[in-house]
Every structure is written in structure tokens, then in C-alpha cells.
Amino acid sequence: MNGGDKGRHAEKALIEYLPPDYRPERFRDDLDELEADLRADLDEVGQLNGSSSLNETPTSRTSDETSKVTYRIAEDVQESLEQYVYDQEGKVRGVIGEYIATALDEYRDGGQVARVRRYYEQLRESVDMVSEDRVEAVVETLRNNIDDRDFYNIKEIRLAVDEALDVHSDEVREDFADRVIERLGFVAVETSDGVYATPERAEQMVQEHEVDSDLDWHLMNKEDRVEYLVEAVKARSQQIADGAGVDYNQVRDEIFEEHPSNDYCYELMELAGEYPGFEYGKHNGRLMLRYTGENNALTAKPDNEWLHDASNLVQEFCDDNGVDPTQVSQAILDNLIVRAKYPKEYDEIRGPSDQAIEAVTEDDRKRVRNRLTDSVNHDGAQIATVVEDEISRLTTEAEPVTDGGQRRKNSKQ
């Protein structure tokens, strides 16, 4: 190995020795990111200690024979090393040589690759030493996020680990999740991969098949559930009975089979309301998620049929409420017109669809009102005729008989 090769190896030894956040940007790679994550996880569990050469105070090395060797290294590498030494010692002169010697020793022992491997092994061992209060912190976070339940999905547990602890590596996340499952006394549910429950609840789930294979509620994250809700409501909009809107009861019981809490239903509905063609807000006095995006052509009944039905509905309303037909408000009139003209767009609970209400025209209202007026006039004419006939009959019976009763006989005939 010539002097140039030794110089390059010396520089590489210093580069690999420096922690990733001290290393010059041009030398950073994926291994640096992995090392940074492992160091952060070790620090999180309180185990970033003297087992790492980067956290040791370099010790003096003596030998019977020493010689001074000089190598040229890049300026940014030298500056990074000096900054690191200063941050550890508060000075550079008199101590930097020991750091260089440690870097060369570590490089001969495998360098960064060997160090990362040591971090990983140390981390796997240290997780078993994590205090119970850290595990309890994850459990408390899980319960705050999802409620105190007798079952959880592994994804929910992992999210709680991430939120409660600053964990970077998948291996540590899995180890913490295992500790949480053990702390809760949960077991795996045989009928659903990734679901853990108390032994009693797990047995019940197996027997009753509560983890539905089609819905896969426990295997969904929040985004999956919102998309499932969007598709379900869109599908319902094509069905006469279900309509195009749902409230939290329908979301909870009909779409998600009683899995989510009421508050979680509202959260999913609000997120779904941000999708194109969907609206979330108050409708007929209730918070609802409605699908209004596609202006599908409305199917109306023939004119004679819906006009007849609408007139009857208005008349029934007036009779039941003691209201004159001319005093019926436009909102009620439009509602009754939709019931008669667009029966597929009307639900007995949720009322008319927005699209159908907007489709009611002033001409529709005039035709219904005119039909009611004609009906009233026709009924009035019939009543007038009956009254006139009755008055005529009574008048005839009251007149004196001067013809020997002949006229009365004729009237009876």
C-alpha cells in the first residue's frame, strides 16, 4: 500500500468515524440514515452509552516506538472532525490526536458497517431493558386514541408507539408493539391477521366471526375507512331506499357494522366530505354526509300523474293542518311536488334530494296551484248546483196547493 492509498484510507476512516450529522454532506448515504435512526432509538431508550466508540472518551495509546506520519485530507473533513471534537471536549488542541487514533482503530475493526451492526445488536438487547413506564406510555396513548377496548389492530398499536416514543427503526417499533401486547395480556385472533384481543374476546370473535372478511375494518387505516365510506355512500345513491345521504347512525351501524364510535364516525364523515361530489354538514336538522356530485338525469312521472298526485298531497296537507291551499309555503309545496314528480328522489326520513328540489320550477308550482284552484272552483260549482236544487225543492214544497195537488203529484213523479 503506497502513501497515497494510506492517505485515502485515513480520510475514509475519519469520515466513517464521524456521526452522520457531522459528516460532510457529499459523503452521506443510506447507511448514514440507518445509523442516525439507530442512534436516535438507542438514545430514546436510554442506551446510547459507552458501548459505542463515538461516545467513549478516547484513551491515550502508548508504544515503545512511535513515529509521526502526515496524511493530506480534505478541508471539509478536517473541519467536521474539529467541530465534532470541540463539541465533545470544549477544545481541539491536545485531544484531536486521540480521536484520530480511535477512528483509525475502528476503521481497522470494520468501520461504519461494523459499528452499525453493533448498534443494531445493542438495540435489540436494550429493548428488553426498557422501563415499564415507557410501555405504559404507549398503552395510555393507544387508549386515548382508540378508546379503552378489549381488542386492537397491530397497526393501531404501531401508531401509538410512534406517537408516544420517538422510534425510527421498524425492528424497534415491532419490539415495542410486542411489549404492549404482552402488557395488555392480549392474544392473536385466529380469524383475522393483525388483530389482538383479550383471550375471552378473541374466543368470542372466532366463534361469532366478528372480524368480517369483506369489510376488513381492523385491517383498514383511517384513509382506507374514509375511501370505503365514500364508495359506500356513492353506491347508496343509486338505490331508491337508501338515498344519497347518511348520518352517523347509518355510518356506524349500516356501513361499518357497529365498529366505530360515534365521534369516530363524525371524523370519517367530515374527511369524506372533502372528496369531490360530497358534502358534510347540517341537512334537515342533522349532520349528514351527502353525495351530490353527479347530476344524473332525474326520472319524473308523466305530467298527468304527478300533477294529480301533487294536488292530492297538497290538499291532504291543507285538510290536516287547517290551511288554505293558497297559503301553503313554497318550501312545503316543493317538498310535496318532489314526492309526486320524483318519487325516487324522496326518502321518508331524509326528505327530498337536493337535486330534485333544485329541479322544481315555477311552472311546476303554478300548474299545481291552478289545478287546486280549478278543483276548488269545480267543487264550488257542484255545491252551488246542489244548493240551488235543494232550494228549488223546498220552495216548491212550501207553495200553496191551488191545483188540487196535481203539481205535487207531478213533482213526485
Side-chain angles (χ1 to χ4, degrees):
M1 183 182 297
N2 57 39
D5 289 334
K6 289 182 179 181
R8 284 191 293 273
H9 281 284
E11 182 179 80
K12 186 171 178 59
L14 296 176
I15 293 169
E16 291 192 10
Y17 173 73
L18 288 170
D21 50 344
Y22 282 92
R23 196 168 298 146
E25 185 70 32
R26 63 192 179 101
F27 294 111
R28 297 180 186 177
D29 54 24
D30 293 340
L31 190 59
D32 297 335
E33 183 176 352
L34 175 59
E35 181 179 1
D37 288 347
L38 290 170
R39 285 178 59 84
D41 288 340
L42 278 170
D43 189 45
E44 174 65 23
V45 298
Q47 298 297 320
L48 188 60
N49 52 32
S51 62
S52 166
S53 61
L54 289 178
N55 280 59
E56 292 178 330
T57 300
T59 57
S60 299
R61 293 162 174 78
T62 59
S63 64
D64 295 335
E65 296 182 4
T66 61
S67 59
K68 182 177 179 180
V69 180
T70 301
Y71 298 115
R72 181 180 297 277
I73 61 173
E75 183 177 353
D76 57 347
V77 175
Q78 180 177 341
E79 291 175 353
S80 297
L81 176 63
E82 290 175 352
Q83 183 63 55
Y84 175 63
V85 172
Y86 181 82
D87 289 346
Q88 307 307 307
E89 305 289 345
K91 61 180 180 178
V92 175
R93 291 178 61 86
V95 294
I96 192 171
E98 300 298 336
Y99 279 82
I100 294 174
T102 300
L104 293 172
D105 287 345
E106 187 170 287
Y107 185 71
R108 281 192 291 268
D109 292 338
Q112 185 184 18
V113 173
R115 185 171 67 248
V116 169
R117 187 179 298 112
R118 287 199 307 273
Y119 282 159
Y120 177 73
E121 295 300 329
Q122 181 187 353
L123 192 57
R124 291 300 299 266
E125 295 173 0
S126 66
V127 169
D128 294 333
M129 300 165 58
V130 175
S131 61
E132 280 299 315
D133 62 331
R134 289 178 178 269
V135 177
E136 187 61 34
V138 180
V139 173
E140 187 172 341
T141 300
L142 180 63
R143 288 171 173 163
N144 289 338
N145 290 348
I146 316 293
D147 294 331
D148 189 2
R149 297 196 319 224
D150 54 4
F151 68 91
Y152 292 107
N153 184 271
I154 188 64
K155 291 183 179 180
E156 296 170 332
I157 298 174
R158 290 169 182 160
L159 288 174
V161 171
D162 286 341
E163 185 173 338
L165 305 173
D166 188 18
V167 173
H168 298 77
S169 52
D170 292 338
E171 293 82 1
V172 176
R173 185 178 296 107
E174 290 303 316
D175 286 336
F176 267 110
D178 290 343
R179 290 284 300 279
V180 170
I181 293 169
E182 181 182 355
R183 167 70 176 75
L184 293 171
F186 282 6
V187 296
V189 177
E190 296 178 2
T191 53
S192 183
D193 184 30
V195 179
Y196 293 84
T198 61
E200 298 79 10
R201 179 62 163 158
E203 182 178 357
Q204 182 183 3
M205 283 181 165
V206 172
Q207 291 175 350
E208 298 179 1
H209 302 285
E210 288 188 6
V211 184
D212 186 84
S213 58
D214 294 328
L215 175 60
D216 283 337
W217 167 264
H218 300 293
L219 302 181
M220 292 178 175
N221 57 29
K222 183 180 290 186
E223 183 178 352
D224 295 333
R225 291 165 182 167
V226 173
E227 291 179 357
Y228 186 91
L229 175 58
V230 165
E231 294 303 318
V233 175
K234 189 180 294 185
R236 290 165 71 95
S237 70
Q238 308 301 320
Q239 302 173 12
I240 298 174
D242 290 329
V246 290
D247 61 16
Y248 81 94
N249 280 310
Q250 293 164 308
V251 172
R252 180 192 62 206
D253 300 337
E254 299 175 17
I255 295 180
F256 288 123
E257 302 176 1
E258 302 183 357
H259 287 295
S261 66
N262 295 348
D263 289 341
Y264 196 47
C265 287
Y266 284 124
E267 184 177 353
L268 295 177
M269 291 165 67
E270 184 176 1
L271 292 172
E274 298 175 0
Y275 277 63
F278 283 81
E279 293 181 359
Y280 171 70
K282 277 198 171 183
H283 181 67
N284 292 338
R286 291 177 300 161
L287 283 171
M288 298 188 69
L289 172 67
R290 293 179 295 137
Y291 177 61
T292 60
E294 296 182 7
N295 293 319
N296 298 321
L298 298 174
T299 303
K301 293 175 69 174
D303 282 2
N304 288 338
E305 289 186 27
W306 78 258
L307 278 171
H308 176 269
D309 293 345
S311 300
N312 287 344
L313 289 171
V314 174
Q315 190 61 58
E316 289 175 8
F317 174 84
C318 293
D319 293 342
D320 292 341
N321 295 276
V323 179
D324 187 276
T326 59
Q327 301 301 315
V328 176
S329 69
Q330 179 175 316
I332 293 176
L333 182 59
D334 288 355
N335 186 298
L336 298 174
I337 288 175
V338 170
R339 287 180 63 182
K341 188 174 183 179
Y342 307 110
K344 293 183 178 180
E345 298 298 318
Y346 190 87
D347 182 85
E348 291 297 334
I349 298 177
R350 292 181 291 274
S353 70
D354 288 348
Q355 187 181 359
I357 284 291
E358 293 173 0
V360 175
T361 64
E362 185 59 33
D363 184 61
D364 291 338
R365 302 183 189 102
K366 287 181 179 179
R367 294 174 72 183
V368 172
R369 291 193 180 104
N370 290 339
R371 190 179 184 93
L372 285 168
T373 302
D374 292 343
S375 176
V376 170
N377 292 339
H378 177 69
D379 291 343
Q382 286 184 324
I383 293 172
T385 300
V386 171
V387 171
E388 184 178 346
D389 291 344
E390 185 65 14
I391 292 174
S392 177
R393 183 183 66 79
L394 294 174
T395 301
T396 300
E397 292 179 351
E399 289 180 353
V401 178
T402 58
D403 58 357
Q406 187 64 39
R407 182 169 57 182
R408 185 172 295 180
K409 290 179 182 179
N410 293 337
S411 66
K412 289 182 177 180
Q413 293 176 356

